[in-house]
Amino acid sequence: MNTRPPFQDRAADAARWLCVASAFAVPLPAAWLSFTTGLFLIAWGLAGRLPLRWATIRQHPVGRLSLVLLLWMAVAIAWSPVEPKVGLAHWWHYRELLIVPLMLSLFDADTARRWQPRVFTAFFIGFGIALVTSFLRWTGVLPDMGFKGLYAGFGGRTGFSMLLAWAIFCAVEFGRDQPRFRLAWAALALVCFANLFFINTGRTGQIAFFTLVPLSLYHLAGRRGLVAGLLAIPVLAAGMYAASPAVRARIAESAEHIAAYEAGHPYTGDGLRLEFIANAADFIRQHPVFGGGTGSFAAEYKVVAEREGMTGERVADNPHNEYLLVWSQQGLPGLALLIALFLTQWRLSARLDDLPARLNRGLVLLIAGGDLVNSLILDNLEGHLWALLTVALTAGIGADRAAPSPTESSR
C-alpha cells in the first residue's frame, strides 16, 4: 500500500522548507536569496490547491493588503511614461509584496506553530555567518571581497546595520522569555551593539536601534518604560558620540556634506539625499493624486538630469524615502495602501501570543521608520527581511477559516 503523501502535499512541504532556506539566505549574498525564492515560486505553483491558498490569503489582513498594494502598482504601469517592460521590471522590484501572501498561504494555525521556529532559527544561523564574516573582514582575516559597505557582512552597510539593530532587539525580547539562555542572548546583543556602533557605519541601523529602545522598555514596564526609553535616546546618542570614533567620524562627514550642499556643491552623500527628496517633492506636485506611474521616478529624474546637466550619482532611481517614492509613482492610493499595510501589521500584534506580538511591533517599527530615510521594501535585503519575518511572526492568522486540507494541516 502506497503511504506516500500526494505530490501536491510534498510540493507544499518543499515550499515551506524553501521559506526556511530563504530566511537563512536573507543576511547572505543576494544571489542565494534569489535562488531560494525562485525555487519557492516553482514549488508553490506545484503545490496547487489554489482555492485553499486564495482563501488563506483573503483571511490574512497583511497578506491581503500586500497583494492589493502590489496589484495597484501593476495597474499604475498603465499611465507610466516608460515602456511596459520597463514598468514591469520596476514593479518586480517589489516582489516581496507577492512573496508575503504566497508564503502565508501555505500555513494554517497548526503548521504555522511547527514551522515558524524553523524560519526564525534559519534566519539567526544566516545572520550569525554574516556577523562572523563582518568581524573577520574587520580584523583582516578575510579580504574586502568587493562588497559595498565597510565590514558589512556580505552586503551594504545600510542593510547590515538594520540586521544588527534587529538582532539586538530580538536578543532583548528573547532573553526576557528564555531565562536559561539569557546570558547567551545578552552576549549576542553586546556583540551586535559593538559592531553597530564601533565597526559598522550604517546610520539607518543606528537610528533604528534608538527607535527600538523605547519599544523594548514599553514591553518591559508599560508607559513608564516608554517615557524612560524616550528620555534615554539623547543620553545614549551622546554616549555613543563620545565613545565611538566611527560615530563621530560619520556625524562629522554628514555635517560636511550638508554644508557643501548648502554652498551649492551637491556631490556628497547627504547632499544628494536632500536633492533627491526635493526633486521627488516636485514630481509629487506635478501628479499628486495618481502619481506618475510605476517606473516613472527614474524616467522623470533622467529628464531633470538632462535639463540641469546632472551626471553620475546625481541621477537617482529612487529618493531614499519609500513613502515619497510610492507617492510619486503610485499616487495617494499607493501611499495610503503602504501606510495601511504597516498599521494593519502593527494592529495584528493584538491577535498574536506575547513574544511574537512584541517582535512584530519591533519589525513594523524597524521597517516603517527606516522607510523615512531609505526605500527598504524596494531593497533586496531589507525587503526580504520584512517579508520572511512577517511570515514567521504572523502565519496562521485567520487560516482556520480557510478550511485547510486535512493532509496538509497534519504535516
Side-chain angles (χ1 to χ4, degrees), residues 90 297-298 301 315-320 325 329 378:
H90 282 270
F297 184 90
Y301 217 100
V315 186
D317 58 4
N318 85 85
H320 294 269
L325 177 62
Q329 295 194 125
L378 175 72

Side-chain angles (χ1 to χ4, degrees), residues 264-349:
H265 304 289
Y267 284 99
T268 62
D270 293 298
L272 290 173
R273 282 177 173 267
L274 294 172
E275 186 173 77
F276 297 161
I277 291 172
N279 285 322
D282 285 339
F283 300 158
I284 291 170
R285 281 192 288 268
Q286 294 170 25
H287 30 67
V289 179
F290 291 106
T294 299
S296 64
F297 184 90
E300 291 178 330
Y301 217 100
K302 185 176 180 180
V303 172
V304 172
E306 291 174 351
R307 184 179 68 234
E308 299 185 9
M310 296 156 52
T311 58
E313 293 184 348
R314 290 187 69 187
V315 186
D317 58 4
N318 85 85
H320 294 269
N321 180 307
E322 196 129 47
Y323 302 104
L324 293 180
L325 177 62
V326 170
W327 191 357
S328 71
Q329 295 194 125
Q330 290 87 29
L332 286 173
L335 178 63
L337 285 168
L338 178 62
I339 294 173
L341 179 64
F342 290 141
L343 290 176
T344 298
Q345 186 170 351
W346 179 277
R347 293 179 62 190
L348 201 60
S349 300

Side-chain angles (χ1 to χ4, degrees), residues 165-236:
W166 171 249
I168 295 169
F169 177 78
C170 286
V172 171
E173 299 297 338
F174 275 111
R176 285 182 55 195
D177 278 42
Q178 300 176 357
R180 290 178 55 194
F181 302 103
R182 192 163 290 164
L183 286 177
W185 285 117
L188 175 63
L190 288 173
V191 169
C192 292
F193 181 86
N195 194 305
L196 180 60
F197 286 100
F198 292 89
I199 298 175
N200 190 272
T201 56
R203 290 171 299 178
T204 304
Q206 293 169 352
I207 294 170
F209 167 82
F210 290 124
T211 61
L212 289 169
V213 167
L215 181 61
S216 287
L217 292 178
Y218 170 76
H219 290 157
L220 182 65
R223 292 182 180 179
R224 291 183 179 180
L226 177 62
V227 173
L230 292 171
L231 294 175
I233 290 176
V235 177
L236 288 169

Side-chain angles (χ1 to χ4, degrees), residues 82-101:
V82 302
E83 295 182 5
K85 65 178 182 180
V86 177
L88 283 171
H90 282 270
W91 175 78
W92 188 242
H93 284 304
Y94 277 97
R95 59 190 174 275
E96 296 91 343
L97 295 171
L98 176 64
I99 287 173
V100 167

